[in-house]
Amino acid sequence: MSHLRWQMIALCFVANIINFLDRSNLAVAVPHIQADLHLSPAMTGLALSGFFWTYALMQIPVGWMIDRFGVRKCLAGSVFWWSLFTAATSFVSGLPSLLGARLMLGVGEAGALPGFAKVAFNWFPRTERALASSIFDSGSRVGSALALPVVAWLVATVGWRQSFIWTGTLGIVWVGVWLLLYRDPAEHPKMTPQARAALAQSQTSHQEFNTTPPVTLRQLLRYRTIWGMMFGFFCLNFTIYFFITWFPSYLIQARHFSLDDIKTYGMIPALIAIPFGWIGGFVSDRMIRHGFTATQARKTCLVGGMLVSCVIAFAPLTNSTFAALALMAISYSALAFTAANVWSLPGEVSPSPGNVASIGALQNCAANLAGIGISTFTGVMLTITHGSFIIPLGLAGALCILGALSYLFVVGKLEPLPAPTQG
């Protein structure tokens, strides 16, 4: 395989860092924004959830566009759009304009992860695809971790409004680099015909896969496996988005951290989770290379990771801040371990090359309904319980167990789904 594949996945890794830095900066700046715009916890929860409404809604059309028009143009457009509205957040004057900026941010970021999954499918053989997925997916942890010290420093130095302009500028720079360097394997001038043929043969164990025409969205939704993937990812994201939305507030309100404490201790769960995401992809791919089926390899990591991640439910029950951070770190690491394999699934089960981004978008659409759930539900529960995180995190832990059961029993054999004409 050409070494160019690592360059392509590195571009996705950097884009995902920017992706999560731009969606996490609001969570870090929330205490200052609440004070300046006079937002209640429920209003803040609504603002935090606004991103997920359009992000989830646009997954399916954007996934179709990536399969139809190519990942190069679509991903460049997505990053440019979300960077523009990240910067626009600096000009908000109240809840309506803040909510509007977050809604538009969600439209742009909808193309990110389905696009990255398509790049991994285009450039990597199936025996390396989980590792490739773990690399781009780990950008979410790096971005979330960097958001804490970087945005906190920007807020303290130039104010929360200017911080959004600075983070939004990063994406514009990335678009220029992406358009300069990225091409699909079939179009890249440095790919030889032999390398292209070898890559095509290594993408699946089913030789008829590359000649199968794409199926429709309605046909995809007839498969039980697709629904199992959607529900499993919903459960995973319900927990993982707590770290992106309410985690800084949890440290401040429940654990009495200062902004300086968040810059250091608040990074611990995300930093520990980064290598565990790579390990999840490496273990899964290694199992396949050693003779395990894709079903055995991927499901072992999916189910095991989801079961371990349920320990987040015990974090608000302990009086020890150290124990709470340790439980959070274990949960986040287990979720990262799982997520690497979640993003390898579209390439495993897609009935044709023209459905990979669409299937990734379907599962990501369901997953980001969880972002709406955790951000809004937590805000409402904090209002009702006067600041207690026990109920939201207890529900997150329970959903981790349900997600493991979905991957184990609802998701079927991990191989290209049969075309509708075949049954």
Side-chain angles (χ1 to χ4, degrees):
M1 297 296 104
S2 170
H3 70 279
L4 288 168
R5 68 194 190 280
W6 300 110
Q7 181 185 93
M8 303 309 168
I9 212 66
L11 287 170
C12 295
F13 169 73
V14 174
N16 212 18
I17 292 176
I18 300 171
N19 175 15
F20 275 77
L21 182 64
D22 285 348
R23 76 171 69 175
S24 301
N25 52 9
L26 179 64
V28 179
V30 151
H32 301 272
I33 295 174
Q34 281 182 307
D36 285 357
L37 303 184
H38 310 291
L39 303 179
S40 68
M43 294 167 68
T44 303
L46 179 61
L48 289 169
S49 71
F51 161 85
F52 298 105
W53 288 98
T54 48
Y55 185 69
L57 180 66
M58 292 300 296
Q59 288 293 316
I60 296 171
V62 170
W64 176 85
M65 289 175 63
I66 292 169
D67 280 329
R68 175 67 177 82
F69 299 108
V71 70
R72 182 173 180 265
K73 294 179 181 178
C74 292
L75 202 50
S78 290
V79 178
F80 181 83
W81 181 275
W82 92 55
S83 300
L84 181 65
F85 283 97
T86 296
T89 309
S90 64
F91 301 103
V92 301
S93 58
L95 179 61
S97 53
L98 176 60
L99 184 58
R102 297 298 288 183
L103 289 170
M104 291 297 100
L105 177 71
V107 172
E109 293 204 1
L113 289 167
F116 304 153
K118 186 73 171 185
V119 171
F121 174 81
N122 286 348
W123 277 96
F124 283 81
R126 66 193 299 267
T127 54
E128 293 180 346
R129 202 172 294 147
L131 179 60
S133 298
S134 74
I135 291 172
F136 78 67
D137 186 65
S138 68
S140 64
R141 258 75 66 190
V142 176
S144 299
L146 287 177
L148 292 167
V150 170
V151 177
W153 177 79
L154 285 172
V155 169
T157 305
V158 298
W160 68 265
R161 293 184 182 275
Q162 289 292 322
S163 71
F164 285 95
I165 294 178
W166 281 87
T167 56
T169 302
L170 294 175
I172 305 297
V173 174
W174 182 91
V175 170
V177 177
W178 169 259
L179 290 174
L180 179 66
L181 296 180
Y182 185 83
R183 300 292 186 278
D184 286 339
E187 301 171 352
H188 203 289
K190 294 184 179 180
M191 283 286 284
T192 65
Q194 293 84 357
R196 293 191 185 101
L199 179 60
Q201 290 179 351
S202 66
Q203 287 181 323
T204 179
S205 59
H206 292 244
Q207 295 307 312
E208 69 277 8
F209 171 79
N210 290 316
T211 59
T212 303
V215 303
T216 66
L217 174 63
R218 180 176 295 181
Q219 290 168 333
L220 286 175
L221 290 173
R222 293 175 183 171
Y223 296 104
R224 185 189 73 182
T225 287
I226 298 295
W227 285 101
M229 290 165 53
M230 291 167 66
F231 182 72
F233 205 8
F234 173 92
C235 295
L236 184 150
N237 261 21
F238 193 92
T239 305
I240 211 166
Y241 273 122
F242 172 81
F243 292 95
I244 298 168
T245 55
W246 282 102
F247 182 57
S249 296
Y250 168 76
L251 295 179
I252 293 172
Q253 297 175 21
R255 297 297 169 181
H256 309 295
F257 277 35
S258 66
L259 201 58
D260 287 335
D261 292 332
I262 289 179
K263 293 178 185 177
T264 52
Y265 299 110
M267 295 175 61
I268 291 175
L271 289 176
I272 295 176
I274 293 168
F276 276 92
W278 301 334
I279 292 170
F282 173 80
V283 169
S284 180
D285 286 341
R286 186 175 177 83
M287 289 178 69
I288 291 178
R289 289 195 296 270
H290 282 72
F292 289 89
T293 66
T295 304
Q296 294 168 331
R298 308 304 192 207
K299 284 196 175 187
T300 296
C301 297
L302 288 166
V303 175
M306 289 298 290
L307 289 176
V308 173
S309 65
C310 74
V311 300
I312 195 172
F314 301 105
L317 303 179
T318 177
N319 292 325
S320 168
T321 298
F322 173 80
L325 272 178
L327 289 168
M328 291 282 187
I330 292 170
S331 180
Y332 206 173
S333 298
L335 293 167
F337 185 93
T338 306
N341 292 274
V342 167
W343 281 109
S344 72
L345 295 184
E348 296 287 358
V349 306
S350 179
S352 78
N355 288 119
V356 174
S358 297
I359 293 176
L362 276 172
Q363 67 170 7
N364 205 35
C365 174
N368 283 280
L369 294 177
I372 301 170
I374 186 64
S375 53
T376 305
F377 180 73
T378 301
V380 172
M381 285 297 104
L382 290 177
T383 302
I384 294 173
T385 62
H386 305 289
S388 173
F389 284 85
I390 293 176
I391 294 177
L393 293 181
L395 178 60
L399 285 174
C400 288
I401 297 174
L402 290 177
L405 296 176
S406 180
Y407 284 122
L408 184 60
F409 295 114
V410 182
V411 174
K413 193 174 182 180
L414 296 181
E415 63 183 16
L417 295 167
T421 55
Q422 296 174 305

